[in-house]
Amino acid sequence: MSAFVRQAMVVARRDFTAVVATPTFLLFLLAPLFMILMSLLGVTGAAQIADTSQDKTRIGIIAAQADGPLLVAADRRLRNVLPDDLQPPKLDIIPQHGGQSAAVAQALLALPDPNYVAVLYGPLERPIILKEGGRRSAYLATLAEQVLRDRKGGVAPGAMLSIAQTADQKVQTASASSEHATGFAAVFGIFFLTLLLAGQSVGMLAEEKSNKVIEILAAAAPLEAVFLGKLIGMFGVALLFVGFWAGLAGTGIALSASFLTLPPIAAAVGLPAFLLLCALYFTMAFMLLGAIFLGVGAQASTMREIQMMSLPITIFQVAMFGLSSAAAGAPEGRLARFAEIFPFSSPFAMAARAANEPEIWPHILALGWQGLWVALTIWITAGLFRRGVLKSGPGLLSALRRKR
Amino acid sequence: MTDDRPVWAEGLIKTFGGTTAVHGVSLSVPRGMIYGVLGPNGAGKTTTLRMVLGIIDPDAGQRALLGHANPREVSHRVGYLPEERGLYPAMQAREAIAFMGALRGLDWATGRKRAGEMMEASGLGHAVDRKIRQMSKGMAQIVQLLGSIVHRPELIVLDEPFSGLDPVNQEHLESLVRSERDRGATILFSTHVMSHAERLCERIAVIAGGQRRFEGTVDDARGLLPMQAHYVPCDRAAEAGTMLPSGASFDGRAWRFTVPDGGAETLLMALISAGHGIAGLTMQRPGLHEAFVRIVSDAKQADVAASA
């Protein structure tokens, strides 16, 4: 092992241990759990409110006694066809008495509980639907139409003329839309993880600067090795985090496999290669963005400055996500090519490409290209740090001239 | 640039934002020696040491560390205690020492083992597993020094190692420096406290105003100033002053004066002939402190004259 790599690994080990062996790391590790719990609480609360409101909401039909069973049967059939989120409110059949239907309908609509939002009355051939402003009345109209058709065809209430059988068949060829969806999921997954994990590197040199350890590090090892070590250390933390949650998610999926149907992962390069490429692109995204954050954060002198720098960094990350998402949606376009070549969006966009295109060689090329940019970013940011903090070294241009 | 000169530098120049911090400093430190770089605050000592170690690059001049033009290549053979002390507060002392050794190429297990032994030898055996933040400043400073020598370097560079230490820890640090020299290491340290340099250094360089103003042994430096005589006459003590060089001072019993360039023999003979006799006489060189003050003030005058 070269001295450079060995020194980087010493720094990485120190940083990894310093982060992991603290009680606060447990909070960090479990942070998504809190997020999930809060989301579940929110969703449950919202669902309860919606259910309560749904329970009290009604639509009504004031109908002759003979039409009642036909309307109930037609309602049942139509509800079976509609998905859950398009289900209309519960239907009440109100028996018709005399010629006061219009007044009854108005009285029903005025009731606070149950809350009628629409009431149909009158002959089914020419019904009148009284409804709250903004509500749709198509369902009640369709019910009336259906009952008339059933009556005309002589279909008894609840009788089925056609009884269908269904059979599932696995489709071997993935559709383009499912590949696009997988590509977008990969972009989002890598973005989310880097947003959560790589952003941490912005304050990584703050400790060294405030504790004056930086001079010891600078005397013992090249700053580039120190920077690389810090990135590797944080990447180790990220892997631990991802491993923990991937393990939990895997266990959860395995336990719920019998009653949970997951959407299929459709990737043009094949699932094993896709997963491997996603892992590699996550590594590259972490290293690339982490190197930028580390370098930018290294210029800050105080925690306040670090906090100030976090916002533009996050905006930059979101911009890379937006670019790559657009590329995932239109993998053949020029924008996709640009996102794949631009070094800081390349890991995201190439992960999407792995879902959409079967060729492997562009990925080998892209990984090399991204690796080059990781090295370049570390070199530039370490140089900036050397001049900013240690007040040494030539300007960037003269350094470049010297390299030539 | 030879291997018997672990530190060699010629004409080092460093400028920060238009201010020249170091202007043409040269150093040549013989192997196995305790060598002091002395200078007032802001003289350029730290910048010189940083350039020698390769932490920063000089704008001009040449340097070699342990015979290598690129100091980075031999960083594992060098130990360095910077002026601004720094350790990770949450680290245990043993781990901090092992970490610093690991940075210089020592494996962690050996580093931990040696850390325990060294702390025991330094009287800090009870604190090996204590976190740095739980230690006093002096203890933490000793831990940092142990961290800079745990890999048994050939060259040890200490920047103001005594600052912030109480007399007991200063004494301990001095003995640690001597034992490292006895082990065969070359020690280069900077200070502006002359007593340490006088006790420890075999050679010194004085830097002032970014330039080297003196290089030689401590005796060489003291030799820059004339001998001082402390003379007690037998009879008519006050009248003896008329025969002494100008500037002589009398405390009612004894005279103090600077010995003339030609020596004191002629003067003493004259005093005896005049009947003053010699009840007591001591002659000694001034200390390094006085020599240092003279070198630095001469340097200031020279700089003023040059700028005028």
Side-chain angles (χ1 to χ4, degrees):
Chain A
M1 199 190 308
S2 76
F4 183 90
V5 175
R6 182 178 45 73
Q7 286 163 328
M9 293 313 291
V10 169
V11 174
R13 177 183 170 152
R14 203 296 308 183
D15 278 20
F16 178 80
T17 314
V19 173
V20 171
T22 55
T24 45
F25 178 69
L26 203 60
L27 277 177
F28 173 71
L29 192 64
L30 298 179
L33 192 65
F34 301 136
M35 273 163 53
I36 292 168
L37 280 176
M38 294 303 286
S39 305
L40 281 178
L41 280 175
V43 167
T44 310
Q48 265 186 341
I49 292 167
D51 284 351
T52 311
S53 154
Q54 190 71 21
D55 281 350
K56 291 179 178 174
T57 308
R58 297 278 197 280
I59 51 177
I61 297 179
I62 301 171
Q65 199 158 3
D67 291 339
L70 287 169
L71 284 165
V72 169
D75 178 55
R76 193 174 298 132
R77 276 209 308 278
L78 283 175
R79 282 179 191 275
N80 280 340
V81 175
L82 293 172
D84 288 347
D85 54 339
L86 291 179
Q87 288 288 321
K90 194 177 170 189
L91 174 70
D92 284 348
I93 308 294
I94 299 106
Q96 185 182 342
H97 294 290
Q100 301 299 312
S101 294
V104 172
Q106 284 175 9
L108 287 174
L109 229 60
L111 281 178
D113 187 13
N115 174 29
Y116 285 94
V117 293
V119 178
L120 181 148
Y121 65 94
L124 292 181
E125 293 79 4
R126 293 278 184 276
I128 297 167
I129 300 171
L130 192 65
K131 65 181 184 69
E132 283 181 359
R135 287 278 179 174
R136 297 185 64 193
S137 58
Y139 185 73
L140 288 174
T142 308
L143 270 181
E145 172 74 17
Q146 194 62 44
V147 167
L148 290 177
R149 284 177 184 275
D150 287 349
R151 191 187 290 157
K152 198 171 184 179
V155 180
M160 298 292 290
L161 300 182
S162 168
I163 297 168
Q165 285 186 322
T166 56
D168 292 335
Q169 182 178 329
K170 283 190 178 174
V171 179
Q172 296 299 321
T173 312
S175 68
S177 64
S178 59
E179 285 178 350
H180 288 184
T182 304
F184 181 78
V187 170
F188 180 78
I190 295 174
F191 162 74
F192 178 73
L193 288 174
T194 49
L195 180 73
L196 198 68
L197 302 167
Q200 308 269 333
S201 60
V202 71
M204 277 167 58
L205 274 163
E207 187 183 10
E208 278 73 12
K209 285 163 81 175
S210 65
N211 295 324
K212 317 284 186 198
V213 186
I214 191 64
E215 193 162 344
I216 292 175
L217 297 178
L223 274 176
E224 288 78 4
V226 173
F227 272 50
L228 181 63
K230 293 202 152 288
L231 279 177
I232 294 172
M234 279 309 288
F235 185 63
V237 174
L239 282 187
L240 189 63
F241 180 92
V242 172
F244 175 78
W245 281 100
L248 272 187
T251 309
I253 289 168
L255 290 175
S256 58
S258 56
F259 57 89
L260 193 73
T261 308
L262 289 174
I265 300 174
V269 293
L271 187 58
F274 178 70
L275 293 178
L276 177 67
L277 284 171
C278 280
L280 290 172
Y281 286 129
F282 167 64
T283 306
M284 285 302 177
F286 185 96
M287 289 292 179
L288 269 169
L289 294 172
I292 289 187
F293 302 157
L294 183 62
V296 171
Q299 310 307 312
S301 306
T302 61
M303 282 312 291
R304 183 187 296 272
E305 283 181 16
I306 287 172
Q307 284 165 354
M308 295 288 283
M309 286 171 172
S310 295
L311 181 64
I313 286 170
T314 307
I315 291 171
F316 179 73
Q317 261 184 312
V318 172
M320 293 303 103
F321 170 64
L323 180 62
S324 307
S325 301
E332 299 299 329
R334 283 184 181 175
L335 191 65
R337 290 294 89 77
F338 175 76
E340 286 163 8
I341 293 169
F342 186 63
F344 300 104
S345 58
S346 181
F348 306 106
M350 288 304 293
R353 186 190 174 104
N356 293 312
E357 309 281 345
E359 296 90 5
I360 291 291
W361 67 265
H363 298 286
I364 297 166
L365 206 63
L367 287 166
W369 170 245
Q370 291 158 22
L372 185 72
W373 274 89
V374 170
L376 194 64
T377 309
I378 289 176
W379 179 69
I380 290 172
T381 52
L384 286 172
F385 182 77
R386 187 180 290 112
R387 277 189 303 283
V389 176
L390 298 178
K391 299 195 182 342
S392 180
L396 188 60
L397 287 176
S398 59
L400 288 170
R401 275 198 292 273
R402 194 184 289 180
K403 287 275 171 191
R404 278 211 300 270
Chain B
M1 186 165 82
T2 56
D3 205 32
D4 65 331
R5 299 276 160 173
V7 177
W8 177 87
E10 190 68 44
L12 294 180
I13 294 175
K14 187 70 193 176
T15 303
F16 296 122
T19 304
T20 304
V22 173
H23 191 79
V25 166
S26 300
L27 279 179
S28 181
V29 180
R31 182 171 291 280
M33 190 171 273
I34 301 177
Y35 192 101
V37 176
L38 316 183
N41 292 329
K45 304 187 293 292
T46 297
T47 305
T48 301
L49 295 185
R50 283 177 168 183
M51 284 192 284
V52 163
L53 289 166
I55 297 173
I56 57 176
D57 295 323
D59 297 334
Q62 290 179 296
R63 66 193 163 169
L65 204 63
L66 297 168
H68 289 253
N70 181 1
R72 291 270 169 214
E73 291 174 6
V74 288
S75 68
H76 59 287
R77 293 161 61 191
V78 179
Y80 173 52
L81 180 75
E83 182 183 14
E84 290 201 88
R85 312 288 185 257
L87 290 167
Y88 292 108
M91 241 180 177
Q92 291 175 328
R94 189 204 306 265
E95 287 299 304
I97 293 171
F99 168 68
M100 290 164 72
L103 277 175
R104 304 275 185 179
L106 190 69
D107 68 87
W108 284 84
T110 309
R112 281 197 199 94
K113 184 168 172 286
R114 283 189 195 169
E117 292 165 359
M118 291 167 85
M119 286 190 72
E120 196 69 49
S122 299
L124 296 176
H126 61 285
V128 284
D129 293 323
R130 198 179 288 180
K131 289 187 174 173
I132 299 298
R133 72 160 71 95
Q134 296 166 331
M135 294 183 140
S136 69
K137 187 181 173 188
M139 283 168 80
Q141 200 158 320
I142 295 291
V143 167
Q144 186 163 358
L145 177 73
L146 297 180
S148 62
I149 60 175
V150 67
H151 57 298
R152 295 183 182 155
E154 293 168 50
L155 171 68
I156 300 168
V157 179
L158 311 170
D159 195 358
E160 300 282 2
F162 298 99
S163 71
L165 287 182
D166 61 43
V168 175
N169 276 322
Q170 286 186 17
E171 182 66 31
H172 177 64
L173 183 55
E174 280 191 18
S175 68
L176 208 57
V177 168
R178 285 195 192 93
S179 70
E180 283 299 303
R181 189 266 319 270
D182 295 344
R183 179 177 64 78
T186 305
I187 321 282
L188 171 65
F189 78 90
S190 76
T191 185
H192 58 266
V193 181
M194 295 305 117
S195 55
H196 298 303
E198 204 156 19
R199 284 197 294 272
L200 283 171
C201 294
E202 291 151 82
R203 287 188 81 82
I204 59 167
V206 177
I207 295 178
Q211 296 180 49
R212 195 190 75 184
R213 310 293 180 158
F214 173 82
E215 206 281 334
T217 63
V218 171
D219 283 343
D220 290 341
R222 293 170 66 188
L224 294 173
L225 297 177
M227 295 274 257
Q228 295 292 314
H230 181 258
Y231 163 58
V232 183
C234 294
D235 196 17
R236 293 175 288 122
E239 290 173 30
T242 57
M243 301 177 71
L244 298 175
S246 61
S249 61
F250 184 56
D251 63 9
R253 196 181 77 86
W255 285 92
R256 287 179 187 278
F257 60 92
T258 302
V259 176
D261 285 344
E265 284 172 15
T266 313
L267 177 62
L268 292 174
M269 289 297 290
L271 286 167
I272 292 168
S273 302
H276 295 296
I278 301 175
L281 177 68
T282 54
M283 286 195 288
Q284 62 179 18
R285 291 278 178 198
L288 183 60
H289 178 88
E290 288 79 7
F292 174 79
V293 171
R294 166 68 73 85
I295 292 167
V296 172
S297 56
D298 285 353
K300 272 186 186 167
Q301 284 174 7
D303 289 345
V304 169
S307 62

